[in-house]
Amino acid sequence: MRIQNLFLFGVILFFTSCSQQQQARKPISHTSGTFIKESIERNKVLIADEEDLIAEIIKNDSLKSYIASTKGYWYKYETKVNEATPSPKRGDIAFFDYEIKDLKNRIIYTATETKPQTYYVDKENIMMGLRDGIKLMKKGEKVTFLFPSHMAYGYHGDDKKIGTNEPLICTVSLNDIKEDTQAKN
């Protein structure tokens, strides 16, 4: 009888232990999302401060008319071509020279240092602001762009002369535009 009771007890224990579901463990750490929220707020303040500096430059340059782009930068024409000529488009090759200054008008890179550039439009990685700004220009135009840091080299800088979160003034001369004939073959 003792063996029967022991066997019955074992069977009951086996079925009751199998029928219990294990509860999922609760996470040890909880993320609050505050880092992202704080980062967003820091960036909003940074952009507002840079836009104030750029607005001051525009106000002090009363002889030129600045245009606000839809991408968040401003530009003025030093030399404007009024003829109906094409602007660079995706797949074209743009040949240009440019110079980079800080917002205090101190030269960071001269046109000689940046060398004449050959840019395959929308197919190469260049400064975000230049990528868009070149497509607004016509052959023979010279344009000065005021780029907030997020349209220039951003948080990282260029690892050489341009620091983190540095807004820039870029003066670009578009020398020529050619179709990329090799891309079509």
PDB file of all heavy atoms in Angstrom, residues 3 5 19 21 31 54 58 60 64-65 67 75 77 86 108 111 129 144-145 148 152 159 162 171 174 177:
ATOM      1  N   ILE A   3       3.748   1.626  -1.357  1.00  0.00           N
ATOM      2  CA  ILE A   3       4.310   1.827  -2.678  1.00  0.00           C
ATOM      3  C   ILE A   3       3.254   2.456  -3.582  1.00  0.00           C
ATOM      4  O   ILE A   3       3.559   3.339  -4.369  1.00  0.00           O
ATOM      5  CB  ILE A   3       4.813   0.489  -3.257  1.00  0.00           C
ATOM      6  CG1 ILE A   3       5.974   0.006  -2.402  1.00  0.00           C
ATOM      7  CG2 ILE A   3       5.229   0.641  -4.692  1.00  0.00           C
ATOM      8  CD1 ILE A   3       6.517  -1.313  -2.822  1.00  0.00           C
ATOM      9  N   ASN A   5       0.754   4.385  -2.613  1.00  0.00           N
ATOM     10  CA  ASN A   5       0.597   5.791  -2.205  1.00  0.00           C
ATOM     11  C   ASN A   5       1.764   6.638  -2.714  1.00  0.00           C
ATOM     12  O   ASN A   5       1.581   7.767  -3.166  1.00  0.00           O
ATOM     13  CB  ASN A   5       0.518   5.899  -0.679  1.00  0.00           C
ATOM     14  CG  ASN A   5      -0.808   5.427  -0.141  1.00  0.00           C
ATOM     15  OD1 ASN A   5      -1.785   5.337  -0.892  1.00  0.00           O
ATOM     16  ND2 ASN A   5      -0.849   5.119   1.145  1.00  0.00           N
ATOM     17  N   SER A  19       1.679  21.365 -15.351  1.00  0.00           N
ATOM     18  CA  SER A  19       0.575  22.243 -15.741  1.00  0.00           C
ATOM     19  C   SER A  19       0.819  23.695 -15.368  1.00  0.00           C
ATOM     20  O   SER A  19       0.140  24.579 -15.847  1.00  0.00           O
ATOM     21  CB  SER A  19      -0.739  21.750 -15.119  1.00  0.00           C
ATOM     22  OG  SER A  19      -0.672  21.894 -13.715  1.00  0.00           O
ATOM     23  N   GLN A  21       2.441  27.197 -15.670  1.00  0.00           N
ATOM     24  CA  GLN A  21       3.210  27.932 -16.681  1.00  0.00           C
ATOM     25  C   GLN A  21       4.181  28.857 -15.973  1.00  0.00           C
ATOM     26  O   GLN A  21       3.853  29.453 -14.950  1.00  0.00           O
ATOM     27  CB  GLN A  21       2.279  28.760 -17.561  1.00  0.00           C
ATOM     28  CG  GLN A  21       1.418  27.912 -18.447  1.00  0.00           C
ATOM     29  CD  GLN A  21       0.557  28.791 -19.340  1.00  0.00           C
ATOM     30  OE1 GLN A  21       0.440  29.969 -19.119  1.00  0.00           O
ATOM     31  NE2 GLN A  21      -0.030  28.185 -20.346  1.00  0.00           N
ATOM     32  N   THR A  31      14.189  51.763 -19.693  1.00  0.00           N
ATOM     33  CA  THR A  31      14.670  52.947 -20.395  1.00  0.00           C
ATOM     34  C   THR A  31      13.561  53.987 -20.383  1.00  0.00           C
ATOM     35  O   THR A  31      12.390  53.675 -20.570  1.00  0.00           O
ATOM     36  CB  THR A  31      15.052  52.625 -21.849  1.00  0.00           C
ATOM     37  OG1 THR A  31      13.920  52.066 -22.496  1.00  0.00           O
ATOM     38  CG2 THR A  31      16.209  51.656 -21.905  1.00  0.00           C
ATOM     39  N   ILE A  54      23.270  83.397 -38.523  1.00  0.00           N
ATOM     40  CA  ILE A  54      23.113  83.572 -39.976  1.00  0.00           C
ATOM     41  C   ILE A  54      22.195  84.754 -40.272  1.00  0.00           C
ATOM     42  O   ILE A  54      22.482  85.552 -41.179  1.00  0.00           O
ATOM     43  CB  ILE A  54      22.598  82.263 -40.618  1.00  0.00           C
ATOM     44  CG1 ILE A  54      23.717  81.209 -40.576  1.00  0.00           C
ATOM     45  CG2 ILE A  54      22.121  82.492 -42.044  1.00  0.00           C
ATOM     46  CD1 ILE A  54      23.286  79.808 -40.978  1.00  0.00           C
ATOM     47  N   ILE A  58      23.026  88.092 -42.603  1.00  0.00           N
ATOM     48  CA  ILE A  58      22.139  88.564 -43.674  1.00  0.00           C
ATOM     49  C   ILE A  58      21.730  90.012 -43.428  1.00  0.00           C
ATOM     50  O   ILE A  58      21.715  90.828 -44.358  1.00  0.00           O
ATOM     51  CB  ILE A  58      20.911  87.634 -43.780  1.00  0.00           C
ATOM     52  CG1 ILE A  58      21.352  86.258 -44.289  1.00  0.00           C
ATOM     53  CG2 ILE A  58      19.834  88.239 -44.681  1.00  0.00           C
ATOM     54  CD1 ILE A  58      20.276  85.184 -44.217  1.00  0.00           C
ATOM     55  N   ASN A  60      23.378  92.303 -41.800  1.00  0.00           N
ATOM     56  CA  ASN A  60      24.533  93.192 -41.982  1.00  0.00           C
ATOM     57  C   ASN A  60      24.971  93.313 -43.436  1.00  0.00           C
ATOM     58  O   ASN A  60      25.716  94.215 -43.780  1.00  0.00           O
ATOM     59  CB  ASN A  60      25.712  92.714 -41.126  1.00  0.00           C
ATOM     60  CG  ASN A  60      25.452  92.912 -39.652  1.00  0.00           C
ATOM     61  OD1 ASN A  60      24.651  93.760 -39.257  1.00  0.00           O
ATOM     62  ND2 ASN A  60      26.102  92.115 -38.825  1.00  0.00           N
ATOM     63  N   LYS A  64      23.108  92.872 -50.611  1.00  0.00           N
ATOM     64  CA  LYS A  64      22.729  91.660 -51.341  1.00  0.00           C
ATOM     65  C   LYS A  64      21.388  91.144 -50.835  1.00  0.00           C
ATOM     66  O   LYS A  64      21.023  91.334 -49.678  1.00  0.00           O
ATOM     67  CB  LYS A  64      23.783  90.554 -51.165  1.00  0.00           C
ATOM     68  CG  LYS A  64      25.114  90.859 -51.809  1.00  0.00           C
ATOM     69  CD  LYS A  64      25.025  90.724 -53.314  1.00  0.00           C
ATOM     70  CE  LYS A  64      26.399  90.916 -53.931  1.00  0.00           C
ATOM     71  NZ  LYS A  64      26.410  90.617 -55.333  1.00  0.00           N
ATOM     72  N   SER A  65      20.702  90.457 -51.721  1.00  0.00           N
ATOM     73  CA  SER A  65      19.428  89.845 -51.374  1.00  0.00           C
ATOM     74  C   SER A  65      19.650  88.343 -51.192  1.00  0.00           C
ATOM     75  O   SER A  65      20.133  87.672 -52.101  1.00  0.00           O
ATOM     76  CB  SER A  65      18.419  90.103 -52.498  1.00  0.00           C
ATOM     77  OG  SER A  65      17.214  89.451 -52.222  1.00  0.00           O
ATOM     78  N   ILE A  67      18.315  84.424 -50.389  1.00  0.00           N
ATOM     79  CA  ILE A  67      17.168  83.555 -50.661  1.00  0.00           C
ATOM     80  C   ILE A  67      17.231  82.401 -49.659  1.00  0.00           C
ATOM     81  O   ILE A  67      18.289  81.786 -49.482  1.00  0.00           O
ATOM     82  CB  ILE A  67      17.222  83.014 -52.107  1.00  0.00           C
ATOM     83  CG1 ILE A  67      17.218  84.177 -53.096  1.00  0.00           C
ATOM     84  CG2 ILE A  67      16.065  82.058 -52.367  1.00  0.00           C
ATOM     85  CD1 ILE A  67      17.624  83.790 -54.505  1.00  0.00           C
ATOM     86  N   TYR A  75      21.213  81.600 -49.440  1.00  0.00           N
ATOM     87  CA  TYR A  75      22.229  81.861 -50.455  1.00  0.00           C
ATOM     88  C   TYR A  75      21.972  83.191 -51.140  1.00  0.00           C
ATOM     89  O   TYR A  75      20.857  83.714 -51.116  1.00  0.00           O
ATOM     90  CB  TYR A  75      22.310  80.729 -51.478  1.00  0.00           C
ATOM     91  CG  TYR A  75      21.045  80.466 -52.272  1.00  0.00           C
ATOM     92  CD1 TYR A  75      20.888  80.971 -53.569  1.00  0.00           C
ATOM     93  CD2 TYR A  75      20.010  79.704 -51.751  1.00  0.00           C
ATOM     94  CE1 TYR A  75      19.741  80.708 -54.303  1.00  0.00           C
ATOM     95  CE2 TYR A  75      18.862  79.445 -52.474  1.00  0.00           C
ATOM     96  CZ  TYR A  75      18.732  79.950 -53.752  1.00  0.00           C
ATOM     97  OH  TYR A  75      17.588  79.697 -54.480  1.00  0.00           O
ATOM     98  N   TYR A  77      23.426  85.480 -54.793  1.00  0.00           N
ATOM     99  CA  TYR A  77      24.158  85.425 -56.056  1.00  0.00           C
ATOM    100  C   TYR A  77      25.232  86.498 -56.065  1.00  0.00           C
ATOM    101  O   TYR A  77      24.960  87.670 -55.851  1.00  0.00           O
ATOM    102  CB  TYR A  77      23.213  85.640 -57.242  1.00  0.00           C
ATOM    103  CG  TYR A  77      22.340  84.449 -57.521  1.00  0.00           C
ATOM    104  CD1 TYR A  77      21.058  84.358 -56.975  1.00  0.00           C
ATOM    105  CD2 TYR A  77      22.791  83.404 -58.314  1.00  0.00           C
ATOM    106  CE1 TYR A  77      20.261  83.249 -57.224  1.00  0.00           C
ATOM    107  CE2 TYR A  77      22.001  82.302 -58.564  1.00  0.00           C
ATOM    108  CZ  TYR A  77      20.742  82.235 -58.016  1.00  0.00           C
ATOM    109  OH  TYR A  77      19.954  81.133 -58.257  1.00  0.00           O
ATOM    110  N   PRO A  86      20.397  75.378 -68.548  1.00  0.00           N
ATOM    111  CA  PRO A  86      20.069  74.313 -67.593  1.00  0.00           C
ATOM    112  C   PRO A  86      20.940  74.351 -66.335  1.00  0.00           C
ATOM    113  O   PRO A  86      22.063  74.842 -66.353  1.00  0.00           O
ATOM    114  CB  PRO A  86      20.326  73.035 -68.392  1.00  0.00           C
ATOM    115  CG  PRO A  86      21.321  73.423 -69.430  1.00  0.00           C
ATOM    116  CD  PRO A  86      21.035  74.863 -69.762  1.00  0.00           C
ATOM    117  N   ILE A 108      38.712  79.135 -44.077  1.00  0.00           N
ATOM    118  CA  ILE A 108      39.097  77.814 -43.580  1.00  0.00           C
ATOM    119  C   ILE A 108      39.841  77.071 -44.685  1.00  0.00           C
ATOM    120  O   ILE A 108      40.922  76.550 -44.476  1.00  0.00           O
ATOM    121  CB  ILE A 108      37.862  77.016 -43.113  1.00  0.00           C
ATOM    122  CG1 ILE A 108      37.172  77.741 -41.952  1.00  0.00           C
ATOM    123  CG2 ILE A 108      38.266  75.599 -42.698  1.00  0.00           C
ATOM    124  CD1 ILE A 108      35.853  77.140 -41.523  1.00  0.00           C
ATOM    125  N   ALA A 111      40.049  78.430 -52.341  1.00  0.00           N
ATOM    126  CA  ALA A 111      39.693  77.732 -53.580  1.00  0.00           C
ATOM    127  C   ALA A 111      40.877  76.925 -54.103  1.00  0.00           C
ATOM    128  O   ALA A 111      40.700  75.872 -54.716  1.00  0.00           O
ATOM    129  CB  ALA A 111      39.218  78.738 -54.625  1.00  0.00           C
ATOM    130  N   GLY A 129      24.835  70.364 -48.030  1.00  0.00           N
ATOM    131  CA  GLY A 129      24.393  71.653 -48.556  1.00  0.00           C
ATOM    132  C   GLY A 129      24.864  71.885 -49.985  1.00  0.00           C
ATOM    133  O   GLY A 129      24.104  72.361 -50.827  1.00  0.00           O
ATOM    134  N   THR A 144      27.102  82.430 -53.009  1.00  0.00           N
ATOM    135  CA  THR A 144      27.568  82.267 -51.639  1.00  0.00           C
ATOM    136  C   THR A 144      26.448  81.637 -50.822  1.00  0.00           C
ATOM    137  O   THR A 144      25.331  82.157 -50.781  1.00  0.00           O
ATOM    138  CB  THR A 144      27.989  83.612 -51.022  1.00  0.00           C
ATOM    139  OG1 THR A 144      29.097  84.124 -51.779  1.00  0.00           O
ATOM    140  CG2 THR A 144      28.407  83.462 -49.574  1.00  0.00           C
ATOM    141  N   PHE A 145      26.764  80.506 -50.203  1.00  0.00           N
ATOM    142  CA  PHE A 145      25.806  79.758 -49.396  1.00  0.00           C
ATOM    143  C   PHE A 145      26.125  79.933 -47.915  1.00  0.00           C
ATOM    144  O   PHE A 145      27.301  79.932 -47.528  1.00  0.00           O
ATOM    145  CB  PHE A 145      25.870  78.264 -49.719  1.00  0.00           C
ATOM    146  CG  PHE A 145      25.476  77.920 -51.125  1.00  0.00           C
ATOM    147  CD1 PHE A 145      26.449  77.759 -52.100  1.00  0.00           C
ATOM    148  CD2 PHE A 145      24.149  77.747 -51.481  1.00  0.00           C
ATOM    149  CE1 PHE A 145      26.108  77.432 -53.400  1.00  0.00           C
ATOM    150  CE2 PHE A 145      23.792  77.420 -52.781  1.00  0.00           C
ATOM    151  CZ  PHE A 145      24.764  77.271 -53.743  1.00  0.00           C
ATOM    152  N   PRO A 148      23.906  76.099 -42.132  1.00  0.00           N
ATOM    153  CA  PRO A 148      23.985  75.708 -40.723  1.00  0.00           C
ATOM    154  C   PRO A 148      24.765  74.393 -40.636  1.00  0.00           C
ATOM    155  O   PRO A 148      24.920  73.696 -41.644  1.00  0.00           O
ATOM    156  CB  PRO A 148      22.525  75.527 -40.303  1.00  0.00           C
ATOM    157  CG  PRO A 148      21.709  75.570 -41.533  1.00  0.00           C
ATOM    158  CD  PRO A 148      22.560  76.060 -42.658  1.00  0.00           C
ATOM    159  N   ALA A 152      26.229  71.296 -43.334  1.00  0.00           N
ATOM    160  CA  ALA A 152      27.659  71.324 -43.661  1.00  0.00           C
ATOM    161  C   ALA A 152      28.276  69.980 -43.243  1.00  0.00           C
ATOM    162  O   ALA A 152      27.931  68.953 -43.799  1.00  0.00           O
ATOM    163  CB  ALA A 152      28.322  72.506 -42.948  1.00  0.00           C
ATOM    164  N   ASP A 159      37.445  66.403 -39.607  1.00  0.00           N
ATOM    165  CA  ASP A 159      38.660  65.805 -39.031  1.00  0.00           C
ATOM    166  C   ASP A 159      39.930  66.585 -39.365  1.00  0.00           C
ATOM    167  O   ASP A 159      41.026  66.083 -39.148  1.00  0.00           O
ATOM    168  CB  ASP A 159      38.848  64.344 -39.456  1.00  0.00           C
ATOM    169  CG  ASP A 159      37.831  63.415 -38.832  1.00  0.00           C
ATOM    170  OD1 ASP A 159      37.364  63.720 -37.717  1.00  0.00           O
ATOM    171  OD2 ASP A 159      37.502  62.397 -39.457  1.00  0.00           O
ATOM    172  N   ILE A 162      37.693  71.877 -39.924  1.00  0.00           N
ATOM    173  CA  ILE A 162      36.313  72.215 -39.584  1.00  0.00           C
ATOM    174  C   ILE A 162      35.913  71.424 -38.343  1.00  0.00           C
ATOM    175  O   ILE A 162      35.982  70.190 -38.333  1.00  0.00           O
ATOM    176  CB  ILE A 162      35.356  71.915 -40.754  1.00  0.00           C
ATOM    177  CG1 ILE A 162      35.747  72.784 -41.959  1.00  0.00           C
ATOM    178  CG2 ILE A 162      33.908  72.155 -40.358  1.00  0.00           C
ATOM    179  CD1 ILE A 162      35.025  72.457 -43.230  1.00  0.00           C
ATOM    180  N   THR A 171      31.464  79.794 -50.902  1.00  0.00           N
ATOM    181  CA  THR A 171      31.300  80.524 -52.154  1.00  0.00           C
ATOM    182  C   THR A 171      31.696  79.584 -53.283  1.00  0.00           C
ATOM    183  O   THR A 171      32.832  79.103 -53.334  1.00  0.00           O
ATOM    184  CB  THR A 171      32.149  81.801 -52.165  1.00  0.00           C
ATOM    185  OG1 THR A 171      31.765  82.602 -51.037  1.00  0.00           O
ATOM    186  CG2 THR A 171      31.932  82.589 -53.437  1.00  0.00           C
ATOM    187  N   LEU A 174      30.319  77.762 -60.421  1.00  0.00           N
ATOM    188  CA  LEU A 174      30.023  76.618 -61.290  1.00  0.00           C
ATOM    189  C   LEU A 174      30.626  76.907 -62.659  1.00  0.00           C
ATOM    190  O   LEU A 174      30.140  77.761 -63.409  1.00  0.00           O
ATOM    191  CB  LEU A 174      28.512  76.384 -61.384  1.00  0.00           C
ATOM    192  CG  LEU A 174      28.083  75.147 -62.165  1.00  0.00           C
ATOM    193  CD1 LEU A 174      28.674  73.879 -61.578  1.00  0.00           C
ATOM    194  CD2 LEU A 174      26.567  75.047 -62.200  1.00  0.00           C
ATOM    195  N   ILE A 177      29.025  72.306 -66.891  1.00  0.00           N
ATOM    196  CA  ILE A 177      28.135  71.160 -66.674  1.00  0.00           C
ATOM    197  C   ILE A 177      28.232  70.288 -67.918  1.00  0.00           C
ATOM    198  O   ILE A 177      28.131  70.781 -69.038  1.00  0.00           O
ATOM    199  CB  ILE A 177      26.665  71.610 -66.514  1.00  0.00           C
ATOM    200  CG1 ILE A 177      26.512  72.653 -65.415  1.00  0.00           C
ATOM    201  CG2 ILE A 177      25.770  70.410 -66.230  1.00  0.00           C
ATOM    202  CD1 ILE A 177      25.164  73.357 -65.446  1.00  0.00           C
TER     203      ILE A 177
END
